[in-house]
Amino acid sequence: METILIVEDDPTMLRGLKDNFEFHNYRVLTAEDGEAGLNAALDARPDLILLDLMLPKINGYEVCRLIRKEKLDMPIIMLTAKGEESDIVLGLNLGADDYVTKPFSIKELLARTEALLRRTRSVEPEVYRFGDCTLDIAARKLTRGQEEIKLSPKEFKLLELFAKKPGRALSRDEILNLVWGYDSISGPRTIDRFVTTLRNKIEPDPHNPVYIHTLREIGYKFDPPA
């Protein structure tokens, strides 16, 4: 039984989330403020955290930052009533894996939770397949059908990042840090140019991408159809 930690200061929402997740056979821990949530995360090491952003004592952004500072890598889904792109980007840059904006569908939240947990259960593969493309990490090789597609080192690293984090919303800052490094002088436009190049190499129709999706004002998500 996998453990979900729900950090939410609204008692009604907290009870509703707890009941729904327990009904779907999760073990549920709860906390009603950021300090209690952080302590529960550090002590219990849950499999996934649902984290409200507007919390008493310590806000959700700081809780997320401190969890990642302790090198804990469980998935974190932000629960927020704020729809501003800057708030979402900040949460993603601090280490959150996904977000839902209130009011949200409990079915959607359960589905996102299961998708993130499914990825953490599996051993990271060396070969990723999507459509007619095969990305071989060990061989540093991309093929499309029977043809090898040449990638520059940065293109390969960017595609590897996407392949290893399917379905995850990645901000431009996070992509820049993970692919180019924290001290890079490159900027968001560099990422956009590399994404365009990748789309031209892997997408069936680069003008209507089915693999690399743009998240307006945020970044990108690699989400190939099943």
Side-chain angles (χ1 to χ4, degrees), residues 9 38 42 45 70 83 98 109 117 134-136 144 155 167:
D9 64 329
L38 177 60
L42 298 180
R45 308 294 174 101
E70 294 298 320
D98 203 354
L109 181 57
L117 288 172
T134 300
L135 183 68
D136 190 323
R144 186 173 180 180
E155 288 170 354

Side-chain angles (χ1 to χ4, degrees), residues 107-210:
K107 288 184 178 180
E108 179 186 0
L109 181 57
L110 284 163
R112 287 173 183 252
T113 298
E114 175 58 25
L116 285 171
L117 288 172
R118 188 164 55 245
R119 290 166 196 145
T120 61
R121 291 180 201 126
S122 58
V123 177
E124 189 172 276
E126 288 294 313
V127 177
Y128 297 85
R129 294 182 175 85
F130 49 96
D132 59 351
C133 295
T134 300
L135 183 68
D136 190 323
I137 302 300
R140 312 299 291 177
K141 179 178 172 183
L142 172 69
T143 56
R144 186 173 180 180
Q146 300 300 314
E147 178 186 3
E148 181 175 352
I149 305 298
K150 297 296 183 183
L151 298 177
S152 71
K154 282 292 189 290
E155 288 170 354
F156 191 95
K157 196 169 182 180
L158 178 58
L159 185 56
E160 180 181 359
L161 172 65
F162 283 142
K164 288 183 175 180
K165 299 184 182 294
R168 175 173 168 177
L170 296 166
S171 71
R172 286 179 173 83
D173 283 345
E174 186 176 8
I175 295 170
L176 192 64
N177 291 336
L178 292 173
V179 176
W180 278 266
Y182 285 93
D183 57 350
S184 172
I185 60 172
S186 300
R189 291 187 180 275
T190 299
I191 297 170
D192 296 339
R193 287 196 298 271
F194 272 78
V195 167
T196 297
T197 301
L198 274 184
R199 282 174 170 162
N200 287 331
K201 293 182 177 183
I202 69 172
E203 296 280 0
D205 179 0
H207 298 292
N208 297 286
V210 295

Side-chain angles (χ1 to χ4, degrees), residues 4 8 18 22 24 27 32 44 49 62 68 72 86 91-92 118 135-136 139 143-144 149 155 169 175 178 201 219 226:
I4 306 294
E8 168 63 61
K18 183 176 187 293
E22 286 182 339
H24 286 82
R27 175 173 176 257
E32 296 186 16
I49 300 174
E62 185 68 2
R68 295 308 189 217
L72 300 182
S86 58
L92 295 172
R118 188 164 55 245
L135 183 68
D136 190 323
T143 56
R144 186 173 180 180
I149 305 298
E155 288 170 354
I175 295 170
L178 292 173
K201 293 182 177 183

Side-chain angles (χ1 to χ4, degrees), residues 28-48:
V28 178
L29 305 176
T30 63
E32 296 186 16
D33 63 66
E35 183 178 337
L38 177 60
N39 289 335
L42 298 180
D43 292 341
R45 308 294 174 101
D47 297 290
L48 181 140

Side-chain angles (χ1 to χ4, degrees), residues 77-121:
I77 300 178
M78 301 183 299
L79 309 178
T80 176
K82 304 176 73 174
E84 294 294 328
E85 285 86 353
S86 58
D87 298 311
I88 295 169
V89 169
L90 175 58
L92 295 172
N93 286 339
L94 289 172
D97 295 274
D98 203 354
Y99 64 91
V100 292
T101 303
K102 300 174 184 177
F104 49 79
S105 160
I106 188 64
K107 288 184 178 180
E108 179 186 0
L109 181 57
L110 284 163
R112 287 173 183 252
T113 298
E114 175 58 25
L116 285 171
L117 288 172
R118 188 164 55 245
R119 290 166 196 145
T120 61
R121 291 180 201 126

